[in-house]
Amino acid sequence: MGLLAAAALAFSFLAGATRLWAEPKPSPETQLYPASEEPRSKPVKPTKTYWKVVVGLRFAEPQEPARIKMFVPMSDGRQSVVSRRIVGENLKQEEGSDGTNLWSVWHVGAAAKEKGRRRVAIEMAIEISDLHLPPPEVSPKHNQVPKDVAPYLQPSARIQSRDPLVGKRVRTLVGGATRVDEIAWTLYQYSASFLPAQTADAPADALSVLKAQRGTSAGRSRVLVALLRNAGIPARLVGGLRLKDAQRKRSTVAWVEAYMDGRWIPLDPAGGHFASLPNNYLALYRGDLPLITHTAGLELDYDFLIHRSTRKAVLEKPESEEVVEETPGERTREQAWQTERVSTVAVYADRPVASVLLMSDDTIPDGVAERMTAVAKEREFDLVLLNARFESRYFRGTYLQKLTSANLPLIRASHLVLVSTRDEAGLYSLLELGEKRVALTDARIVVAGSFPLAVGKTLGAVLFSLTEPGELVVVNRRTPLLSLWEMALANLIDGVPMEAAASRWGIRPLVMSEAQVASFSAWRRAVIWAWTRAVQAQVPLQALSLILVLPVIACLVVIGRTIIGIETFGTFAPVIVCVAFLMTGLLWGLVIFVVIVGLGVLLRAALQRLRLQLVARLGVLLAMVAAIMAGLTVAGAYLGIGALLNVSVFPMVIMSAVIENFTTSQVERGTAAAIKLTFNTLLMCTASYVLVEAASLRSLLLGFPELLLIVVGAEVALGKWRGLRLLEYLRFYDLVRSGAGR
C-alpha cells in the first residue's frame, strides 16, 4: 500500500509539472520587457561661420548735390553683425531703420572744380549660423496673420499675386492640401523646378518668370512669393549675398521668407533650401527693394570684397560703428628701405580692401616692382615687398627668416602671403611662423621655388599644420614672379579659383588641405607630426637638415676614398668643411678655407723653431686660428661681406688639425704632396657640396629620413671592398698593359 501511494503521488506530480510546462499561467512575479531600440532624431546643432565683408562704393563727384542710400545688414538672430565701420571722405552720413531693415544715407556735395573719384567703404565683421526650421503642421485657417504681417499678402508691381494665371496655377498645384507646410512644399518644389535665366537682364517679375518657366534667383523667388500670397500665406523677398571666401563680387541673391504659425520660414527655390539656410547666406534687406538708390546722373560703382575669418579674429575685435571722416590727401603712401642685400618696399592704402605681403630672394626688376605697386594703388590694397639676396642657400633662408620675424604684424594682417625663392628657402622661412605660434587662418599662402615635389608635400604639410591657413598653395618649380603675382591676385581680389587662375600661366599648384595630409601614409604623417612638434619647440629645421645630411656627406667621402682612391686630410675634415660650405656658399667657403689654412701654415712654420711638444703646439695653433677667424670677421664687417661675418661655422679644431696635417705631410712627403692632399680635400668638399645642393638632399632627408638606412647599408657594403681603387688602376695601367703584352 505504501508503495502504491508513493507511485500515485509521483505520477500526480509529473502530470502537474507537464501541464505547467505546456500551458504557463501568470505568476505574481514582476516581469520586465526591455523597450526596443529605435532611432531618435537628434536635434540639429547650428554651425557658425565668421566673415569679413567690405562694401566699396565709388563715384564721381557730382556738379550738383547728390544723395546715396544703401541697405546694410543688421542682426536678426541667425546673423550677428559683430562690428561695423563706415568710412566716407568728408561726407555727411546718417542711418535709419524701420525695424525690419537698416540703411545708410550719404549726402554728397557739389564738386568745386574738376570732378574726381571718391569712395565710401563699409567694413563689417559678421557671425552667421545655419538655420533649420521645420515648418509647422497647421491648417491655413489657424495660420494667424498679425496686422504688421498682413501687407505681405498684397500684390505689388513685380509680384502679381492676384493675377488669374497665378490663382489658376495655385489651385492646380495645391489640390487637396490641408496644411500650410504641405502647400509651401508643393509651391516651393514647383518654383524650384524653373530653369535659370539665359541672360542677367531677362524680365524678373513674377508673371513673366511664371510664363517663361525660367528666371534669375530674384525672379524665381518672386514667383514663389506670388504663389504663397495667393494661397493665403504671407511671404516676402529677402535680398542678400551668398558668401564665398576670397571673392570680389557685385551680384546678389534673393530668397523667400514665408510666415507660418508666428515664424518666418526661409525658402530658397534657386539654391535648393527648404525651411533652412546655410551659414554663408548674408541677408542685406527684406522686401522687394533696390539695394542702392542714388540721385539721377551720379556715376556710381560698387562691389563686395569677402574673406572667411575666424571666431578669434572677429569676436576679439572691439566694436566700432562710428563714422570716421578722412582728411583729403593722398590715397596711398609708399615707404622704402634698402641695403646692399636686403630691401623693403611698402605701399599702404588709406582704407585697404586687402593686404598683400610678397617675399623673394631674387632681384626684383624695377619694372616688375613698379607694376605691382601701381596695381596696389589702383585697386586700393596694402602691398609690402621684402627682398633678401644671398648666394648661400643657408644665408638666404636665415635672412628670410629674419625678415619674417621682423614683419610678423604685417604677416598677421595679410590676406595673401606670396613667397618666391630659388629653392625651398621660402618654406623654411615661413616655418618661423610656427616657432612664433602665428596662425594665418584668414590668409592665403603661396610658396614657389625649385625643389622636389616630395619636399614640397612634406614641408608644405608641416607649414599647413603650424599656421592653419585659409589656403596653402605650393608650386615646386621656378616661376616668374609676375606670373605668380597675377595668379595669386586673381584668386584673392577677383575670386577666381586657384587652379583656374594657375592654369592661365601654365602653373600646376599643389593645394595643401587636411584631406591632402590625411592621404599620406602613416609613416609620413608621423614624420610630419615630429617636425611640426620640433618647430613648435623652436628647433630650426634648417639646422636639423644639416645634421641629417652629415652621414650622406660621410658616405660620399667613403666612396671617394674607397672606390676612387682620393686621399684627403682624414675623413672628418672633408665632412665638416663641406657642412661649412653649405652655410657660407661654395665660393666664399673656398676663399675662407684657403685663407685660414694658408696663414695657419705660415704661422706653423714660425712655431717650428720653438721645438714645442705636440700638445702645446696644437694649443698655440688653435689660438692662431681663432685670431685669423676673428680678423676675417672684422674684415667682413668693414667690407660689408656677409659670408665673412659667419666664419665661425668653420670649426677651429678641425682647421687646426688640417694645418697640422699639412705641415706634417710637408715634412714627411714634401710640399707637393701636402698641396695635393689639400687640393683633394677641397675637391671632395666641392663635389659633396654640389651633389647635396643639386639634389636638395637636406630637405629630401627631412621628408624621407628613412633614406639614412640606405646610406648606412651602402657604407657597410663599401667597408667590405677589397679590390683596387680607380686611381690605382690608372697608376698601374702601364704595368698591367706590359704584362698582358708578354
Coordinates of all heavy atoms in Angstrom, one line a residue, residues 354-399:
A354 N 42.3 94.9 -49.0 CA 43.1 93.7 -48.7 C 44.5 94.1 -48.4 O 44.9 95.2 -48.6 CB 43.0 92.7 -49.9
S355 N 45.3 93.1 -47.9 CA 46.7 93.3 -47.6 C 47.5 92.2 -48.2 O 47.2 91.0 -48.0 CB 46.9 93.4 -46.1 OG 48.3 93.6 -45.8
V356 N 48.6 92.5 -48.9 CA 49.4 91.5 -49.6 C 50.8 91.7 -49.2 O 51.3 92.8 -49.1 CB 49.3 91.6 -51.1 CG1 50.2 90.6 -51.8 CG2 47.8 91.5 -51.6
L357 N 51.5 90.6 -48.8 CA 52.9 90.6 -48.5 C 53.6 89.7 -49.4 O 53.3 88.5 -49.6 CB 53.2 90.2 -47.0 CG 54.6 90.3 -46.6 CD1 54.7 90.9 -45.2 CD2 55.3 88.9 -46.6
L358 N 54.7 90.2 -50.1 CA 55.4 89.4 -51.1 C 56.9 89.3 -50.6 O 57.5 90.4 -50.3 CB 55.3 90.0 -52.5 CG 55.9 89.2 -53.6 CD1 55.2 89.5 -54.9 CD2 57.4 89.6 -53.8
M359 N 57.5 88.1 -50.6 CA 58.8 87.9 -50.2 C 59.6 87.2 -51.2 O 59.1 86.2 -51.8 CB 58.8 87.2 -48.8 CG 60.2 87.2 -48.1 SD 60.0 86.9 -46.3 CE 58.8 85.6 -46.2
S360 N 60.8 87.6 -51.5 CA 61.6 87.0 -52.6 C 63.1 87.0 -52.2 O 63.5 87.9 -51.4 CB 61.4 87.7 -53.9 OG 62.2 87.1 -54.9
D361 N 63.8 86.0 -52.7 CA 65.3 86.0 -52.5 C 66.0 86.3 -53.8 O 67.2 86.1 -53.9 CB 65.7 84.7 -51.9 CG 65.5 83.5 -52.9 OD1 64.9 83.7 -54.0 OD2 65.9 82.4 -52.5
D362 N 65.3 86.8 -54.8 CA 66.0 87.1 -56.1 C 65.8 88.6 -56.4 O 64.9 89.3 -55.8 CB 65.4 86.3 -57.2 CG 66.4 86.0 -58.3 OD1 67.4 86.7 -58.3 OD2 66.1 85.1 -59.1
T363 N 66.5 89.1 -57.3 CA 66.4 90.5 -57.6 C 65.1 90.8 -58.3 O 64.7 90.1 -59.3 CB 67.6 91.0 -58.6 OG1 68.8 90.7 -57.9 CG2 67.4 92.4 -58.9
I364 N 64.3 91.7 -57.8 CA 63.0 92.1 -58.4 C 63.3 93.3 -59.4 O 63.7 94.3 -59.0 CB 62.0 92.5 -57.4 CG1 61.8 91.4 -56.4 CG2 60.7 92.9 -58.0 CD1 60.8 91.7 -55.2
P365 N 63.1 93.0 -60.7 CA 63.3 94.1 -61.7 C 62.5 95.4 -61.3 O 61.4 95.3 -60.8 CB 62.9 93.5 -63.0 CG 63.0 92.0 -62.8 CD 62.7 91.8 -61.4
D366 N 63.1 96.5 -61.6 CA 62.4 97.8 -61.3 C 61.0 97.8 -62.0 O 60.0 98.3 -61.4 CB 63.2 99.0 -61.7 CG 64.5 99.1 -60.9 OD1 64.5 98.6 -59.7 OD2 65.4 99.7 -61.3
G367 N 60.9 97.4 -63.2 CA 59.7 97.4 -63.9 C 58.6 96.5 -63.3 O 57.4 96.9 -63.2
V368 N 59.0 95.4 -62.8 CA 58.0 94.5 -62.1 C 57.6 95.1 -60.8 O 56.4 95.1 -60.5 CB 58.7 93.1 -61.8 CG1 57.8 92.2 -61.0 CG2 59.0 92.4 -63.2
A369 N 58.5 95.7 -60.0 CA 58.1 96.3 -58.8 C 57.2 97.5 -59.0 O 56.2 97.7 -58.3 CB 59.4 96.7 -58.0
E370 N 57.5 98.3 -60.0 CA 56.6 99.4 -60.3 C 55.2 99.0 -60.7 O 54.2 99.6 -60.4 CB 57.3 100.3 -61.4 CG 58.5 101.0 -61.0 CD 59.2 101.7 -62.1 OE1 58.7 101.6 -63.3 OE2 60.3 102.3 -61.9
R371 N 55.2 97.9 -61.5 CA 53.8 97.4 -61.9 C 53.0 96.9 -60.8 O 51.8 97.2 -60.6 CB 54.0 96.3 -63.0 CG 52.7 95.7 -63.5 CD 52.9 94.7 -64.6 NE 51.7 94.1 -65.0 CZ 51.6 93.2 -66.0 NH1 52.7 92.9 -66.7 NH2 50.4 92.7 -66.3
M372 N 53.7 96.2 -59.8 CA 53.0 95.7 -58.7 C 52.5 96.9 -57.8 O 51.3 96.9 -57.3 CB 53.9 94.8 -57.8 CG 54.2 93.5 -58.5 SD 55.4 92.6 -57.5 CE 55.5 91.1 -58.5
T373 N 53.3 97.9 -57.6 CA 52.9 99.0 -56.7 C 51.8 99.8 -57.4 O 50.9 100.3 -56.8 CB 54.1 99.9 -56.4 OG1 54.7 100.3 -57.6 CG2 55.1 99.2 -55.5
A374 N 51.8 99.9 -58.8 CA 50.8 100.6 -59.5 C 49.4 99.9 -59.3 O 48.4 100.5 -59.1 CB 51.1 100.8 -61.0
V375 N 49.5 98.6 -59.4 CA 48.2 97.8 -59.2 C 47.7 97.9 -57.8 O 46.5 98.1 -57.6 CB 48.5 96.3 -59.6 CG1 47.3 95.4 -59.2 CG2 48.8 96.1 -61.0
A376 N 48.6 98.0 -56.8 CA 48.2 98.1 -55.5 C 47.5 99.5 -55.2 O 46.5 99.6 -54.5 CB 49.4 98.0 -54.5
K377 N 48.1 100.5 -55.8 CA 47.4 101.8 -55.7 C 46.1 101.9 -56.4 O 45.1 102.4 -55.9 CB 48.4 102.9 -56.3 CG 49.7 103.1 -55.6 CD 50.5 104.1 -56.3 CE 51.9 104.3 -55.6 NZ 52.8 105.2 -56.4
E378 N 46.0 101.3 -57.6 CA 44.8 101.4 -58.4 C 43.7 100.6 -57.7 O 42.5 101.1 -57.6 CB 45.0 100.8 -59.8 CG 43.8 100.8 -60.6 CD 44.1 100.2 -62.0 OE1 45.2 99.8 -62.3 OE2 43.1 100.0 -62.7
R379 N 44.0 99.4 -57.2 CA 42.9 98.6 -56.6 C 42.8 98.7 -55.1 O 42.1 98.0 -54.4 CB 43.2 97.1 -57.0 CG 43.4 97.0 -58.5 CD 43.3 95.6 -59.0 NE 41.9 95.1 -58.9 CZ 41.5 93.9 -59.4 NH1 42.4 93.1 -60.0 NH2 40.3 93.5 -59.3
E380 N 43.6 99.6 -54.5 CA 43.5 100.1 -53.1 C 43.7 98.9 -52.1 O 42.8 98.6 -51.4 CB 42.1 100.7 -52.9 CG 41.9 102.0 -53.8 CD 40.6 102.6 -53.7 OE1 39.8 102.1 -52.8 OE2 40.2 103.5 -54.4
F381 N 44.9 98.3 -52.2 CA 45.2 97.4 -51.1 C 46.7 97.6 -50.7 O 47.5 98.2 -51.5 CB 45.0 95.9 -51.6 CG 45.8 95.5 -52.8 CD1 47.1 95.1 -52.7 CD2 45.2 95.5 -54.1 CE1 47.8 94.7 -53.8 CE2 45.9 95.1 -55.2 CZ 47.2 94.7 -55.0
D382 N 47.0 97.2 -49.5 CA 48.3 97.3 -49.0 C 49.2 96.3 -49.6 O 48.8 95.1 -49.9 CB 48.3 97.1 -47.5 CG 47.7 98.2 -46.7 OD1 47.5 99.3 -47.3 OD2 47.4 98.0 -45.5
L383 N 50.4 96.7 -49.9 CA 51.4 95.8 -50.6 C 52.8 96.0 -49.9 O 53.2 97.2 -49.8 CB 51.5 96.1 -52.1 CG 52.7 95.3 -52.8 CD1 52.5 93.8 -52.7 CD2 52.8 95.8 -54.2
V384 N 53.4 95.0 -49.5 CA 54.8 95.0 -48.9 C 55.6 94.0 -49.6 O 55.3 92.9 -49.7 CB 54.7 94.7 -47.4 CG1 56.2 94.7 -46.8 CG2 53.9 95.7 -46.6
L385 N 56.8 94.5 -50.2 CA 57.7 93.7 -50.9 C 59.0 93.5 -50.0 O 59.6 94.5 -49.6 CB 58.1 94.3 -52.2 CG 57.0 94.6 -53.2 CD1 57.6 95.3 -54.4 CD2 56.2 93.4 -53.6
L386 N 59.3 92.3 -49.6 CA 60.5 92.0 -48.9 C 61.5 91.2 -49.7 O 61.1 90.3 -50.4 CB 60.2 91.2 -47.6 CG 59.1 91.8 -46.7 CD1 58.8 90.8 -45.5 CD2 59.6 93.2 -46.1
N387 N 62.7 91.7 -49.8 CA 63.7 91.1 -50.7 C 65.0 90.8 -49.9 O 65.5 91.7 -49.3 CB 63.9 92.0 -51.9 CG 64.7 91.3 -53.0 OD1 65.5 91.9 -53.7 ND2 64.4 90.1 -53.2
A388 N 65.6 89.6 -50.0 CA 66.9 89.3 -49.4 C 67.7 88.5 -50.5 O 67.2 87.4 -50.9 CB 66.7 88.5 -48.2
R389 N 68.8 89.0 -50.9 CA 69.6 88.4 -52.0 C 70.9 87.9 -51.4 O 71.8 88.7 -51.1 CB 69.8 89.4 -53.1 CG 68.5 89.9 -53.7 CD 68.7 91.1 -54.7 NE 69.5 92.2 -54.2 CZ 68.9 93.1 -53.4 NH1 67.6 93.1 -53.1 NH2 69.7 94.1 -53.0
F390 N 71.1 86.6 -51.4 CA 72.3 86.0 -50.9 C 72.6 84.7 -51.8 O 71.6 84.1 -52.2 CB 72.3 85.6 -49.4 CG 72.2 86.8 -48.5 CD1 71.0 87.3 -48.1 CD2 73.4 87.3 -48.0 CE1 70.9 88.4 -47.3 CE2 73.3 88.4 -47.2 CZ 72.1 88.9 -46.8
E391 N 73.9 84.4 -52.0 CA 74.2 83.3 -52.8 C 74.0 82.0 -52.1 O 73.5 81.0 -52.6 CB 75.6 83.4 -53.3 CG 75.9 84.5 -54.3 CD 75.0 84.3 -55.6 OE1 74.8 83.2 -56.0 OE2 74.5 85.4 -56.0
S392 N 74.4 82.0 -50.8 CA 74.3 80.8 -50.0 C 72.8 80.5 -49.7 O 72.1 81.4 -49.2 CB 75.1 80.9 -48.7 OG 74.7 79.9 -47.8
R393 N 72.4 79.3 -49.9 CA 71.0 78.9 -49.5 C 70.8 79.0 -48.0 O 69.7 79.5 -47.6 CB 70.8 77.4 -49.9 CG 69.4 76.9 -49.6 CD 69.2 75.4 -50.0 NE 69.5 75.2 -51.4 CZ 69.1 74.1 -52.0 NH1 68.5 73.1 -51.3 NH2 69.4 73.9 -53.3
Y394 N 71.8 78.7 -47.2 CA 71.6 78.9 -45.8 C 71.4 80.3 -45.4 O 70.5 80.6 -44.6 CB 72.9 78.3 -45.1 CG 72.8 78.4 -43.6 CD1 72.2 77.4 -42.9 CD2 73.4 79.4 -42.9 CE1 72.1 77.4 -41.5 CE2 73.3 79.5 -41.5 CZ 72.7 78.5 -40.8 OH 72.6 78.5 -39.4
F395 N 72.2 81.2 -45.9 CA 72.1 82.6 -45.6 C 70.8 83.2 -46.1 O 70.1 84.0 -45.5 CB 73.3 83.4 -46.1 CG 74.5 83.3 -45.3 CD1 75.8 83.3 -45.9 CD2 74.4 83.1 -44.0 CE1 76.9 83.1 -45.2 CE2 75.6 83.0 -43.2 CZ 76.8 83.0 -43.8
R396 N 70.4 82.8 -47.3 CA 69.1 83.3 -47.9 C 68.0 82.8 -46.9 O 67.1 83.6 -46.6 CB 68.9 82.7 -49.3 CG 69.6 83.4 -50.3 CD 69.2 83.0 -51.7 NE 69.8 81.7 -52.1 CZ 69.1 80.6 -52.3 NH1 67.8 80.7 -52.1 NH2 69.7 79.5 -52.6
G397 N 68.0 81.6 -46.5 CA 66.9 81.1 -45.6 C 67.0 81.8 -44.3 O 66.0 82.2 -43.7
T398 N 68.2 82.1 -43.8 CA 68.4 82.8 -42.5 C 67.8 84.2 -42.5 O 67.1 84.6 -41.7 CB 69.9 82.8 -42.1 OG1 70.3 81.4 -42.0 CG2 70.1 83.5 -40.8
Y399 N 68.2 84.9 -43.6 CA 67.8 86.3 -43.7 C 66.3 86.4 -44.0 O 65.6 87.4 -43.6 CB 68.6 87.1 -44.7 CG 69.9 87.6 -44.1 CD1 71.0 86.8 -44.1 CD2 69.9 88.9 -43.6 CE1 72.2 87.3 -43.5 CE2 71.1 89.4 -43.0 CZ 72.2 88.6 -43.0 OH 73.4 89.0 -42.4

